[in-house]
Amino acid sequence: MKELIGLSFDALTQELIAMGEKPFRAKQLWHWIYNKGETDFSKMTTLAKPFQAKLAGLYTVTHPKIVTEQTSVDRTRKWLVEFQDGKQVECVYIPEADRGAVCISTQVGCAQGCRFCHTGTQKMMRNLTAGEIVGQFMTARDSYGEWPTPTDETRYLSNIVVMGMGEPLYNFDHLKTALRILMDGDGIAISKRKITVSTAGMADHIPELADLGVKLAVSLHAPNDDIRNQIMPINRKFPLKTLIEACKEYQRRSERRQFITMEYVMLKGINDQPEHARELMELVKGLEVKFNLIPFHYWDGAPFEPSSNNAIHRFSKILEENWFAAPIRRSRGEDIMAACGQLKSAKGNIDKG
Ligand code: SAH
Ligand code: SF4
């Protein structure tokens, strides 16, 4: 049985043509799957009964299974979801007053090994398929009963941040297919302006994000190569000069010079001094950026400590005095270990070989 979620619209059309169906049926089926969130062919009432039966004999429509669901005192919700092969990832919903972002994963584990990141300590198991990336958002909608796709103004699950487990740009083909499905106006319909992809700095693919029209967040975390090499191994392959050049190219290619969010995790005594803030401003010269200062979330055995509140505020103030936006990210869902860098996969690190 072949899974339909994750096939591009063209690929779905090809499947139907191969079955001897008219291509326009793809539009109806697409609407059932992605606008209504229906997984049972027999409930797709606008499709003829024999067609439903034929589909059921060949295909499945599966949303990843929820293994556990936890809701924080601040209403942040975290799911451990499981795919067909038993691999699991975490996925988080972060609510604001009248909207909210679903944070999705792109890999089981992560190969980048950033030293401050809990996910980075886990072995990289595999890339997620396009269907598994899209499926996490669909499962989140299931949990909130947000089907069929609500109009833009009324939906709670309004934004997507690709900031869960894994490095999205090392799974770029699947990511692209998934984003195109998520953005499709006849289906899930999350507009490109409401999607942000976060990368540790895989410079080769950064400019292409501008062609997709999605927003870019870069896990910068250091003002120079010396510090960045110590905390992020990816910097040896894509040093800051290459990374900043890729960011410039993204901005040249994006409509209206889309600003870039520079994420900066505050590590005590490592990257949190006033001279680091000044060096950082030099580094991003010529780019339109906003900073996002992230208090470090400690996990057991982590080789760093969080910067003091004073150090974080002092750092933010230096940037803001120089006309940079530099808010300090409010931590969400800490009581359920849903905050940045705390995600893990319960089964992901058991090698089933
Ligand atoms: N792999 C991508 C996206 C996932 S990580 C990337 O690295 O950008 C999402 C964000 O959380 C990144 O900015 C990451 O650097 C940050 N992060 C990781 N571990 C953290 C921790 N322990 N405390 C705070 N932020 C952390
Ligand atoms: Fe991977 Fe991002 Fe964690 Fe680095 S910060 S180990 S790239 S998930």
Side-chain angles (χ1 to χ4, degrees), residues 39-161:
T39 55
D40 182 347
F41 293 114
S42 71
K43 291 187 183 149
M44 300 184 181
T45 48
T46 59
L47 308 181
K49 282 256 152 40
F51 180 38
Q52 290 176 3
K54 226 155 87 180
L55 286 169
L58 292 168
Y59 301 107
T60 52
V61 176
T62 324
H63 298 183
K65 193 172 95 191
I66 296 175
V67 181
T68 59
E69 176 177 284
Q70 290 168 280
T71 306
S72 155
V73 289
D74 70 15
R75 297 185 302 123
T76 298
R77 186 172 290 183
K78 183 175 84 169
W79 303 273
L80 179 65
V81 302
E82 184 171 299
F83 303 111
Q84 303 281 22
D85 67 348
K87 291 275 182 289
Q88 301 174 337
V89 297
E90 285 183 335
C91 177
V92 178
Y93 173 64
I94 310 137
E96 304 290 345
D98 55 350
R99 60 195 181 87
V102 179
C103 174
I104 59 178
S105 297
T106 51
Q107 297 180 318
V108 185
C110 185
Q112 303 313 315
C114 303
R115 292 187 56 223
F116 46 80
C117 176
H118 196 196
T119 307
T121 64
Q122 303 184 7
K123 216 167 99 190
M124 158 72 178
M125 298 302 296
R126 67 171 175 86
N127 281 332
L128 297 186
T129 64
E132 289 167 338
I133 297 171
V134 174
Q136 293 167 64
F137 185 79
M138 300 181 86
T139 293
R141 265 201 184 160
D142 290 338
S143 173
Y144 284 88
E146 223 168 50
W147 297 110
T149 298
T151 60
D152 236 6
E153 303 76 53
T154 61
R155 57 177 81 154
Y156 287 115
L157 278 60
S158 59
N159 292 54
I160 293 176
V161 291

Side-chain angles (χ1 to χ4, degrees), residues 120-258:
T121 64
Q122 303 184 7
K123 216 167 99 190
M124 158 72 178
M125 298 302 296
R126 67 171 175 86
N127 281 332
L128 297 186
T129 64
E132 289 167 338
I133 297 171
V134 174
Q136 293 167 64
F137 185 79
M138 300 181 86
T139 293
R141 265 201 184 160
D142 290 338
S143 173
Y144 284 88
E146 223 168 50
W147 297 110
T149 298
T151 60
D152 236 6
E153 303 76 53
T154 61
R155 57 177 81 154
Y156 287 115
L157 278 60
S158 59
N159 292 54
I160 293 176
V161 291
V162 186
M163 290 189 185
M165 299 170 59
E167 168 47 46
L169 302 193
Y170 273 109
N171 187 11
F172 198 55
D173 286 342
H174 293 166
L175 176 76
K176 275 191 291 193
T177 305
L179 291 178
R180 290 197 184 105
I181 294 172
L182 290 163
M183 294 190 286
D184 186 281
D186 294 325
I188 293 170
I190 301 289
S191 92
K192 59 189 180 185
R193 282 174 217 90
K194 296 192 169 169
I195 300 179
T196 303
V197 175
S198 174
T199 175
M202 205 285 186
D204 287 358
H205 290 315
I206 284 178
E208 290 171 70
L209 291 174
D211 308 335
L212 285 161
V214 297
K215 291 187 180 167
L216 167 65
V218 174
S219 295
L220 193 59
H221 304 328
N224 59 50
D225 283 321
D226 271 355
I227 298 178
R228 205 162 191 268
N229 283 340
Q230 283 173 42
I231 61 177
M232 300 179 75
I234 193 175
N235 197 64
R236 293 180 191 273
K237 187 145 184 224
F238 301 104
L240 283 170
K241 192 165 176 289
T242 312
L243 177 56
I244 296 294
E245 197 38 60
C247 291
K248 287 186 177 156
E249 181 59 21
Y250 167 88
Q251 233 150 32
R252 278 192 288 270
R253 265 155 78 167
S254 69
E255 280 172 46
R256 295 173 293 145
R257 264 180 82 76
Q258 178 63 55

